[in-house]
Amino acid sequence: MKNGLLIILLLFVQGVSHAQDPEFPAKEFILHLRLQSGMVTRFNASPELFTGSVQLVPQVTLIPNRVRVGIIAGGFYTANKLQGAFGPTVSVKLVSLSLKNFGSGGNIHLAVDHLWGSGGQRLLGGGFYADLLNRIVIGTAIHRDYRLGSWWWQGSIAFRVSRVKRIEQP
């Protein structure tokens, strides 16, 4: 009996905390402009290549306070070539960052991506990102190019370019 009451109490508290959590709100559209820099490597004697990219990442909330889905579209520079990449992305919020009496300071989320590159790249991977004040996102990602046999590691900074949805106070 005590275990049943404890489970109901925990579910209620979890529901209340999600209702007050402004991160990943329902029906939200968000657009980030992401700048990345990193390297492409095969972890062997071949030299590592620099890679830099600019991406647009539009997303919508699929599960409020938990999951956003979207696409990544952008260009990147590596091996002395400008190329493009496109594919789906899914972001799962891991934790909200609280500023105590000032509300939410952002969130930490895990993103999983699958990108098709114009040079034959097939990138599957993801990264951890910190969304700060719902304006700037910093993070790191690693992708495996399963077609060309290389690894892509990139650090990134992104800026929100869509408008912030205002939350009405009761």
Side-chain angles (χ1 to χ4, degrees):
M1 182 68 174
K2 287 184 181 181
N3 289 340
L5 290 174
L6 181 62
I7 290 172
I8 291 172
L9 179 63
L10 288 174
L11 289 174
F12 176 75
V13 169
Q14 182 180 11
V16 170
S17 68
H18 287 317
Q20 296 172 350
D21 188 357
E23 300 299 322
F24 287 41
K27 300 179 184 178
E28 180 188 43
F29 170 80
I30 191 167
L31 176 64
H32 287 114
L33 175 64
R34 182 185 297 164
L35 308 172
Q36 292 183 308
S37 178
M39 69 176 179
V40 179
T41 184
R42 292 180 186 257
F43 292 111
N44 60 19
S46 63
E48 283 80 18
L49 300 173
F50 167 80
T51 182
S53 67
V54 176
Q55 301 172 334
L56 284 175
V57 186
Q59 293 183 309
V60 294
T61 302
L62 181 65
I63 300 173
N65 304 108
R66 283 287 171 221
V67 178
R68 286 195 303 232
V69 297
I71 59 172
I72 296 174
F76 63 92
Y77 173 84
T78 191
N80 295 324
K81 296 179 188 172
L82 284 174
Q83 300 176 52
F86 177 82
T89 184
V90 176
S91 296
V92 178
K93 184 186 76 169
L94 301 175
V95 65
S96 290
L97 305 173
S98 175
L99 294 178
K100 302 287 182 197
N101 298 329
F102 298 105
S104 177
N107 67 74
I108 295 176
H109 61 273
L110 169 68
V112 178
D113 318 315
H114 187 268
L115 304 173
W116 294 274
S118 61
Q121 299 89 352
R122 302 292 181 263
L123 304 172
L124 178 63
F128 291 97
Y129 298 90
D131 188 339
L132 306 173
L133 300 174
N134 211 0
R135 302 269 187 217
I136 296 174
V137 180
I138 56 173
T140 187
I142 189 161
H143 292 83
R144 172 72 173 158
D145 186 337
Y146 58 87
R147 183 167 178 266
L148 301 177
S150 59
W151 290 90
W152 293 52
W153 174 83
Q154 296 179 309
S156 70
I157 185 166
F159 304 95
R160 183 174 181 153
V161 293
S162 59
R163 296 181 69 176
V164 176
K165 183 178 177 182
R166 299 287 179 207
I167 299 173
E168 297 297 324
Q169 297 294 328

